[in-house]
Amino acid sequence: MEEMRRFYDAEGKTVEEAVKKAEEALNMVGRPIKYIVMSDGRGGRPAMIRVFLKLEEVNLIEGLINEFFARLGVKPEIYMIPRQKRYYVNIITKKYDSVLIGKNGETLKELDYLLSILLRRKKPDLHLTVDINGYRERRRRFLMNKARAIARRVRETGKEMSLDPLSDYELRIVRDALKKERGVVLRQVGKEPNIIYVIAPKG
């Protein structure tokens, strides 16, 4: 197992079977493991769980976030998913979610930046992506679906189409969405601060 690996995925017909396989693979039979359910096995898909391998990192992140929000008088719910290079952390506060997201996610972006700085002071090689009530995930799915739909339209018409203004984070999402789209290319038009991105026919 790689030294820096933060999670282990296990599949089974049911969540219980996936947990048993994970316990056996990690030599944790009879000992508690911390995991999240990635798929519950419904709809013909296998059940899958993701096991946290670095609990000290999880405790550090949860402690930092709880301490930060305690200063605001808020007790958040924290849901965490370990990924290849960082942790995705979804925070739910109920009353303050819309305020913390802000217009077009601007406040959320600043919150992500602030919490990342505080975390790196404690552990420089630890990274996280902060979300509020799933806003970023919804936005990510929307952008990917829209980019793919525009790519199909560009292929059909042979004409380029412009995108709405994108942040650096959103631009990365669009680039990822277009990686498997044949016959189109993402181009930058203009210069700062008036850059426009267009999806155009390739060639």
Side-chain angles (χ1 to χ4, degrees):
M1 189 176 303
E2 296 178 8
E3 182 181 352
M4 291 304 296
R5 192 169 184 187
R6 292 187 164 98
F7 62 88
Y8 177 84
D9 289 340
E11 292 186 352
K13 293 180 180 179
T14 63
V15 171
E16 291 76 15
E17 182 178 303
V19 171
K20 185 177 179 180
K21 287 183 176 181
E23 289 175 339
E24 292 173 350
L26 298 171
N27 295 318
M28 294 286 287
V29 176
R31 290 184 287 170
I33 60 173
K34 182 179 178 66
Y35 66 88
I36 54 172
V37 177
M38 304 295 286
S39 171
D40 60 10
R42 298 177 184 176
R45 297 184 302 171
M48 187 177 84
I49 65 166
R50 177 161 293 181
V51 182
F52 294 84
L53 297 183
K54 291 186 172 289
L55 294 181
E56 70 280 3
E57 292 183 347
V58 175
N59 293 335
L60 176 61
I61 293 171
E62 288 181 342
L64 175 71
I65 292 173
N66 280 320
E67 181 180 353
F68 178 86
F69 279 90
R71 294 177 182 274
L72 304 177
V74 177
K75 185 174 178 57
E77 297 176 29
I78 304 170
Y79 301 91
M80 202 177 309
I81 302 176
R83 292 178 175 168
Q84 290 293 346
K85 296 181 179 180
R86 62 182 58 236
Y87 287 89
Y88 166 78
V89 183
N90 188 30
I91 302 169
I92 299 176
T93 65
K94 297 179 181 177
K95 291 183 179 180
Y96 304 99
D97 287 353
S98 60
V99 175
L100 291 168
I101 293 169
K103 185 177 180 180
N104 298 322
E106 288 299 317
T107 305
L108 172 56
K109 184 167 65 175
E110 296 300 324
L111 177 64
D112 181 290
Y113 177 73
L114 178 58
L115 289 174
S116 294
I117 288 178
L118 294 174
L119 180 63
R120 283 198 293 270
R121 287 178 179 175
K122 296 177 179 290
K123 194 171 176 61
D125 63 338
L126 190 54
H127 304 281
L128 73 163
T129 296
V130 177
D131 201 354
I132 297 292
N133 201 9
Y135 170 84
R136 275 188 157 171
E137 281 295 294
R138 292 193 300 274
R139 180 68 175 164
R140 183 184 66 83
R141 289 193 294 268
F142 170 78
L143 286 171
M144 293 190 78
N145 290 335
K146 186 174 182 178
R148 290 166 180 161
I150 291 176
R152 289 194 294 270
R153 183 64 176 165
V154 169
R155 282 196 299 268
E156 292 170 358
T157 64
K159 297 180 179 179
E160 67 181 34
M161 295 181 65
S162 62
L163 300 171
D164 295 331
L166 299 170
S167 66
D168 291 342
Y169 168 75
E170 292 172 337
L171 181 59
R172 289 196 298 271
I173 293 172
V174 171
R175 289 189 191 280
D176 286 342
L178 296 177
K179 282 181 179 178
K180 296 183 180 179
E181 295 293 331
R182 298 179 180 178
V184 298
V185 63
L186 183 66
R187 290 180 180 160
Q188 175 181 313
V189 179
K191 297 180 180 180
E192 291 284 5
N194 300 311
I195 290 177
I196 296 173
Y197 289 96
V198 300
I199 297 177
K202 194 172 185 179

